[in-house]
Amino acid sequence: MSALKDQLRADLTTAMKSRDELRTATLRMVLAAVSAEEVAGKEARELSDDEVLGVLRREAKRRREAAEAFESAGRAEQSARERAEGEVVAGYLPAQLDDADLTAIVADAVTRTGATGMEDMGRVMGAANAVVAGRAEGARVAAEVRRQLG
């Protein structure tokens, strides 16, 4: 069993004991998503820590998108709840790269691939995402690649 999944379960128990409703509900939702991922496909399997991180990233993105949708619909209370859940999930994700680090990684990827224009964006994205490894959203990486190649 992955260490991250064990950590999520232990934190759920702690949250339940301390009667932290937000944290309890969020961790239950994340563990349900992990369990669903484990049984998806032709046969059940245990997820690795990297796969659990992928589920966490996906859930964090869903919380952000839901918060934005609620905000645009004028439902501030639901938006605040989604943002709070997103913060709980984000606590289990690796620290995000700052803009300077992301710029340096993309510049290195451009140099390594020999990219000269937008037609090379796919190669640069592949090289940059290999180094970024989930520490920045794909949209942020793509925007930086476009800026440097454009």
Short mmCIF file of all heavy atoms in Angstrom, two decimals, residues 4-47:
data_model
loop_
_atom_site.label_atom_id
_atom_site.label_comp_id
_atom_site.label_asym_id
_atom_site.label_seq_id
_atom_site.Cartn_x
_atom_site.Cartn_y
_atom_site.Cartn_z
N LEU A 4 1.41 7.40 0.91
CA LEU A 4 0.53 8.57 0.85
C LEU A 4 -0.91 8.18 1.18
O LEU A 4 -1.60 8.90 1.91
CB LEU A 4 0.61 9.23 -0.53
CG LEU A 4 -0.16 10.52 -0.71
CD1 LEU A 4 0.20 11.55 0.35
CD2 LEU A 4 0.10 11.09 -2.10
N LYS A 5 -1.35 7.03 0.68
CA LYS A 5 -2.71 6.57 0.99
C LYS A 5 -2.83 6.28 2.49
O LYS A 5 -3.84 6.61 3.11
CB LYS A 5 -3.04 5.33 0.16
CG LYS A 5 -4.46 4.88 0.32
CD LYS A 5 -4.75 3.71 -0.60
CE LYS A 5 -6.13 3.13 -0.33
NZ LYS A 5 -6.39 1.95 -1.15
N ASP A 6 -1.80 5.68 3.07
CA ASP A 6 -1.79 5.44 4.52
C ASP A 6 -1.89 6.75 5.28
O ASP A 6 -2.60 6.84 6.28
CB ASP A 6 -0.51 4.70 4.94
CG ASP A 6 -0.54 3.23 4.55
OD1 ASP A 6 -1.64 2.70 4.30
OD2 ASP A 6 0.55 2.62 4.50
N GLN A 7 -1.15 7.77 4.81
CA GLN A 7 -1.17 9.08 5.45
C GLN A 7 -2.56 9.70 5.37
O GLN A 7 -3.06 10.26 6.35
CB GLN A 7 -0.15 10.01 4.79
CG GLN A 7 -0.09 11.40 5.39
CD GLN A 7 0.42 11.40 6.81
OE1 GLN A 7 1.41 10.75 7.10
NE2 GLN A 7 -0.26 12.09 7.70
N LEU A 8 -3.21 9.57 4.23
CA LEU A 8 -4.56 10.10 4.06
C LEU A 8 -5.53 9.41 5.04
O LEU A 8 -6.35 10.08 5.68
CB LEU A 8 -5.05 9.90 2.63
CG LEU A 8 -4.39 10.78 1.56
CD1 LEU A 8 -4.74 10.28 0.16
CD2 LEU A 8 -4.81 12.23 1.73
N ARG A 9 -5.41 8.10 5.17
CA ARG A 9 -6.29 7.36 6.09
C ARG A 9 -6.04 7.76 7.54
O ARG A 9 -6.98 7.94 8.32
CB ARG A 9 -6.09 5.86 5.92
CG ARG A 9 -6.75 5.32 4.68
CD ARG A 9 -6.76 3.82 4.68
NE ARG A 9 -7.55 3.35 3.55
CZ ARG A 9 -7.29 2.26 2.89
NH1 ARG A 9 -6.26 1.51 3.24
NH2 ARG A 9 -8.04 1.89 1.88
N ALA A 10 -4.76 7.90 7.92
CA ALA A 10 -4.43 8.30 9.29
C ALA A 10 -4.95 9.71 9.57
O ALA A 10 -5.50 9.98 10.66
CB ALA A 10 -2.92 8.24 9.50
N ASP A 11 -4.81 10.61 8.60
CA ASP A 11 -5.29 11.98 8.77
C ASP A 11 -6.82 12.02 8.84
O ASP A 11 -7.39 12.85 9.55
CB ASP A 11 -4.79 12.88 7.65
CG ASP A 11 -3.28 13.15 7.75
OD1 ASP A 11 -2.67 12.78 8.77
OD2 ASP A 11 -2.73 13.73 6.80
N LEU A 12 -7.49 11.12 8.11
CA LEU A 12 -8.94 11.04 8.19
C LEU A 12 -9.37 10.63 9.60
O LEU A 12 -10.27 11.23 10.18
CB LEU A 12 -9.49 10.04 7.16
CG LEU A 12 -10.99 9.74 7.26
CD1 LEU A 12 -11.81 11.01 7.05
CD2 LEU A 12 -11.38 8.68 6.25
N THR A 13 -8.70 9.65 10.16
CA THR A 13 -9.01 9.21 11.53
C THR A 13 -8.82 10.36 12.52
O THR A 13 -9.68 10.60 13.37
CB THR A 13 -8.12 8.02 11.92
OG1 THR A 13 -8.33 6.97 10.97
CG2 THR A 13 -8.44 7.53 13.31
N THR A 14 -7.73 11.09 12.38
CA THR A 14 -7.45 12.23 13.26
C THR A 14 -8.53 13.30 13.11
O THR A 14 -9.01 13.85 14.09
CB THR A 14 -6.07 12.82 12.94
OG1 THR A 14 -5.09 11.80 13.07
CG2 THR A 14 -5.73 13.97 13.85
N ALA A 15 -8.91 13.58 11.86
CA ALA A 15 -9.94 14.60 11.61
C ALA A 15 -11.28 14.18 12.19
O ALA A 15 -12.02 15.01 12.74
CB ALA A 15 -10.07 14.85 10.10
N MET A 16 -11.58 12.90 12.10
CA MET A 16 -12.84 12.41 12.66
C MET A 16 -12.85 12.54 14.19
O MET A 16 -13.84 12.95 14.78
CB MET A 16 -13.08 10.96 12.25
CG MET A 16 -13.42 10.81 10.78
SD MET A 16 -13.38 9.10 10.19
CE MET A 16 -14.71 8.38 11.11
N LYS A 17 -11.73 12.20 14.79
CA LYS A 17 -11.63 12.28 16.26
C LYS A 17 -11.73 13.72 16.75
O LYS A 17 -12.27 13.99 17.81
CB LYS A 17 -10.34 11.65 16.74
CG LYS A 17 -10.36 10.13 16.66
CD LYS A 17 -9.05 9.54 17.13
CE LYS A 17 -9.08 8.02 17.05
NZ LYS A 17 -7.79 7.42 17.44
N SER A 18 -11.18 14.65 15.97
CA SER A 18 -11.21 16.05 16.37
C SER A 18 -12.49 16.75 15.88
O SER A 18 -12.63 17.96 16.07
CB SER A 18 -9.98 16.78 15.86
OG SER A 18 -10.00 16.86 14.45
N ARG A 19 -13.37 16.00 15.23
CA ARG A 19 -14.65 16.52 14.73
C ARG A 19 -14.47 17.70 13.74
O ARG A 19 -15.25 18.65 13.76
CB ARG A 19 -15.57 16.91 15.87
CG ARG A 19 -15.87 15.76 16.80
CD ARG A 19 -17.10 16.03 17.63
NE ARG A 19 -17.34 15.04 18.68
CZ ARG A 19 -17.79 13.81 18.49
NH1 ARG A 19 -18.02 13.38 17.28
NH2 ARG A 19 -18.00 13.00 19.50
N ASP A 20 -13.43 17.60 12.92
CA ASP A 20 -13.17 18.59 11.87
C ASP A 20 -13.98 18.18 10.64
O ASP A 20 -13.53 17.36 9.84
CB ASP A 20 -11.67 18.64 11.58
CG ASP A 20 -11.29 19.71 10.57
OD1 ASP A 20 -12.19 20.22 9.87
OD2 ASP A 20 -10.09 20.02 10.49
N GLU A 21 -15.17 18.75 10.50
CA GLU A 21 -16.11 18.32 9.46
C GLU A 21 -15.55 18.54 8.06
O GLU A 21 -15.66 17.67 7.20
CB GLU A 21 -17.44 19.06 9.65
CG GLU A 21 -18.55 18.56 8.74
CD GLU A 21 -18.56 19.22 7.38
OE1 GLU A 21 -18.16 20.39 7.28
OE2 GLU A 21 -18.95 18.56 6.40
N LEU A 22 -14.96 19.70 7.80
CA LEU A 22 -14.43 20.01 6.47
C LEU A 22 -13.34 19.02 6.08
O LEU A 22 -13.37 18.43 5.00
CB LEU A 22 -13.88 21.44 6.43
CG LEU A 22 -13.13 21.80 5.15
CD1 LEU A 22 -14.12 21.94 4.00
CD2 LEU A 22 -12.34 23.07 5.33
N ARG A 23 -12.36 18.84 6.95
CA ARG A 23 -11.25 17.94 6.67
C ARG A 23 -11.73 16.49 6.51
O ARG A 23 -11.28 15.77 5.62
CB ARG A 23 -10.20 18.06 7.77
CG ARG A 23 -8.90 17.43 7.44
CD ARG A 23 -7.82 17.89 8.46
NE ARG A 23 -6.52 17.53 8.00
CZ ARG A 23 -5.83 18.18 7.08
NH1 ARG A 23 -6.32 19.27 6.53
NH2 ARG A 23 -4.64 17.77 6.71
N THR A 24 -12.66 16.08 7.37
CA THR A 24 -13.19 14.72 7.30
C THR A 24 -13.88 14.49 5.95
O THR A 24 -13.61 13.49 5.27
CB THR A 24 -14.19 14.47 8.45
OG1 THR A 24 -13.50 14.61 9.69
CG2 THR A 24 -14.80 13.08 8.37
N ALA A 25 -14.76 15.40 5.56
CA ALA A 25 -15.49 15.26 4.30
C ALA A 25 -14.54 15.27 3.11
O ALA A 25 -14.69 14.48 2.17
CB ALA A 25 -16.52 16.37 4.17
N THR A 26 -13.54 16.15 3.14
CA THR A 26 -12.59 16.26 2.03
C THR A 26 -11.75 15.00 1.91
O THR A 26 -11.57 14.47 0.81
CB THR A 26 -11.69 17.50 2.22
OG1 THR A 26 -12.52 18.66 2.34
CG2 THR A 26 -10.75 17.67 1.04
N LEU A 27 -11.23 14.51 3.03
CA LEU A 27 -10.40 13.31 2.98
C LEU A 27 -11.22 12.08 2.57
O LEU A 27 -10.72 11.22 1.85
CB LEU A 27 -9.70 13.08 4.32
CG LEU A 27 -8.62 14.12 4.64
CD1 LEU A 27 -8.06 13.90 6.03
CD2 LEU A 27 -7.51 14.09 3.60
N ARG A 28 -12.47 12.01 2.99
CA ARG A 28 -13.33 10.91 2.54
C ARG A 28 -13.51 10.97 1.03
O ARG A 28 -13.49 9.94 0.34
CB ARG A 28 -14.69 10.98 3.24
CG ARG A 28 -14.67 10.41 4.62
CD ARG A 28 -16.06 10.40 5.22
NE ARG A 28 -16.04 9.74 6.52
CZ ARG A 28 -16.87 9.98 7.50
NH1 ARG A 28 -17.82 10.89 7.34
NH2 ARG A 28 -16.78 9.33 8.63
N MET A 29 -13.73 12.17 0.51
CA MET A 29 -13.91 12.35 -0.92
C MET A 29 -12.64 11.93 -1.68
O MET A 29 -12.71 11.22 -2.68
CB MET A 29 -14.25 13.82 -1.21
CG MET A 29 -14.35 14.20 -2.66
SD MET A 29 -12.88 14.96 -3.38
CE MET A 29 -12.39 16.18 -2.22
N VAL A 30 -11.48 12.31 -1.17
CA VAL A 30 -10.22 11.96 -1.83
C VAL A 30 -10.00 10.45 -1.77
O VAL A 30 -9.62 9.83 -2.78
CB VAL A 30 -9.04 12.72 -1.18
CG1 VAL A 30 -7.72 12.15 -1.61
CG2 VAL A 30 -9.13 14.20 -1.50
N LEU A 31 -10.23 9.84 -0.62
CA LEU A 31 -10.03 8.40 -0.50
C LEU A 31 -11.03 7.63 -1.38
O LEU A 31 -10.68 6.57 -1.93
CB LEU A 31 -10.13 7.96 0.96
CG LEU A 31 -8.90 8.32 1.79
CD1 LEU A 31 -9.18 8.15 3.28
CD2 LEU A 31 -7.70 7.47 1.36
N ALA A 32 -12.23 8.16 -1.55
CA ALA A 32 -13.20 7.52 -2.45
C ALA A 32 -12.70 7.60 -3.89
O ALA A 32 -12.83 6.62 -4.65
CB ALA A 32 -14.56 8.20 -2.31
N ALA A 33 -12.11 8.72 -4.27
CA ALA A 33 -11.56 8.87 -5.62
C ALA A 33 -10.38 7.92 -5.83
O ALA A 33 -10.24 7.32 -6.90
CB ALA A 33 -11.13 10.31 -5.86
N VAL A 34 -9.55 7.75 -4.80
CA VAL A 34 -8.42 6.81 -4.89
C VAL A 34 -8.95 5.39 -5.04
O VAL A 34 -8.47 4.63 -5.89
CB VAL A 34 -7.50 6.94 -3.65
CG1 VAL A 34 -6.50 5.80 -3.59
CG2 VAL A 34 -6.78 8.28 -3.66
N SER A 35 -9.94 5.03 -4.25
CA SER A 35 -10.53 3.68 -4.33
C SER A 35 -11.15 3.44 -5.69
O SER A 35 -11.02 2.35 -6.26
CB SER A 35 -11.58 3.48 -3.24
OG SER A 35 -10.97 3.53 -1.98
N ALA A 36 -11.84 4.43 -6.23
CA ALA A 36 -12.45 4.30 -7.55
C ALA A 36 -11.38 4.09 -8.61
O ALA A 36 -11.56 3.28 -9.54
CB ALA A 36 -13.29 5.54 -7.87
N GLU A 37 -10.28 4.78 -8.48
CA GLU A 37 -9.17 4.63 -9.43
C GLU A 37 -8.56 3.23 -9.32
O GLU A 37 -8.15 2.65 -10.32
CB GLU A 37 -8.11 5.70 -9.16
CG GLU A 37 -6.98 5.74 -10.15
CD GLU A 37 -7.35 6.38 -11.48
OE1 GLU A 37 -8.36 7.09 -11.55
OE2 GLU A 37 -6.61 6.14 -12.45
N GLU A 38 -8.50 2.70 -8.10
CA GLU A 38 -7.91 1.37 -7.90
C GLU A 38 -8.74 0.27 -8.56
O GLU A 38 -8.17 -0.72 -9.02
CB GLU A 38 -7.78 1.07 -6.40
CG GLU A 38 -6.68 1.84 -5.74
CD GLU A 38 -6.57 1.60 -4.25
OE1 GLU A 38 -7.58 1.25 -3.61
OE2 GLU A 38 -5.46 1.77 -3.72
N VAL A 39 -10.04 0.43 -8.62
CA VAL A 39 -10.88 -0.61 -9.20
C VAL A 39 -11.26 -0.31 -10.65
O VAL A 39 -11.96 -1.11 -11.27
CB VAL A 39 -12.16 -0.87 -8.36
CG1 VAL A 39 -11.78 -1.37 -6.99
CG2 VAL A 39 -13.02 0.37 -8.27
N ALA A 40 -10.82 0.81 -11.18
CA ALA A 40 -11.09 1.14 -12.58
C ALA A 40 -10.25 0.23 -13.47
O ALA A 40 -9.15 -0.20 -13.13
CB ALA A 40 -10.75 2.61 -12.84
N GLY A 41 -10.76 -0.07 -14.62
CA GLY A 41 -10.02 -0.93 -15.55
C GLY A 41 -10.45 -2.38 -15.41
O GLY A 41 -11.47 -2.70 -14.80
N LYS A 42 -9.65 -3.26 -15.97
CA LYS A 42 -10.03 -4.67 -16.02
C LYS A 42 -9.83 -5.40 -14.71
O LYS A 42 -10.53 -6.36 -14.43
CB LYS A 42 -9.26 -5.37 -17.14
CG LYS A 42 -9.67 -4.85 -18.51
CD LYS A 42 -9.08 -5.63 -19.61
CE LYS A 42 -9.56 -5.05 -20.93
NZ LYS A 42 -9.32 -5.88 -22.05
N GLU A 43 -8.85 -4.99 -13.93
CA GLU A 43 -8.65 -5.65 -12.64
C GLU A 43 -8.20 -4.65 -11.58
O GLU A 43 -7.56 -3.65 -11.89
CB GLU A 43 -7.64 -6.80 -12.76
CG GLU A 43 -6.23 -6.39 -13.14
CD GLU A 43 -5.32 -7.60 -13.28
OE1 GLU A 43 -5.62 -8.46 -14.10
OE2 GLU A 43 -4.31 -7.64 -12.55
N ALA A 44 -8.57 -4.96 -10.34
CA ALA A 44 -8.23 -4.07 -9.22
C ALA A 44 -6.73 -4.11 -8.97
O ALA A 44 -6.08 -5.14 -9.19
CB ALA A 44 -8.99 -4.49 -7.97
N ARG A 45 -6.20 -2.98 -8.50
CA ARG A 45 -4.76 -2.90 -8.22
C ARG A 45 -4.52 -1.85 -7.15
O ARG A 45 -5.38 -1.01 -6.89
CB ARG A 45 -3.99 -2.56 -9.48
CG ARG A 45 -4.38 -1.20 -10.04
CD ARG A 45 -3.83 -0.97 -11.43
NE ARG A 45 -4.36 0.24 -12.00
CZ ARG A 45 -3.86 1.45 -11.83
NH1 ARG A 45 -2.79 1.63 -11.11
NH2 ARG A 45 -4.41 2.50 -12.38
N GLU A 46 -3.36 -1.91 -6.54
CA GLU A 46 -2.95 -0.88 -5.57
C GLU A 46 -2.29 0.26 -6.35
O GLU A 46 -1.48 0.01 -7.25
CB GLU A 46 -1.92 -1.45 -4.58
CG GLU A 46 -2.51 -2.31 -3.51
CD GLU A 46 -3.29 -1.52 -2.46
OE1 GLU A 46 -2.91 -0.37 -2.18
OE2 GLU A 46 -4.27 -2.05 -1.96
N LEU A 47 -2.60 1.48 -5.98
CA LEU A 47 -1.98 2.63 -6.62
C LEU A 47 -0.64 2.94 -5.96
O LEU A 47 -0.50 2.80 -4.74
CB LEU A 47 -2.89 3.86 -6.53
CG LEU A 47 -4.23 3.79 -7.23
CD1 LEU A 47 -4.95 5.13 -7.08
CD2 LEU A 47 -4.08 3.45 -8.69
#
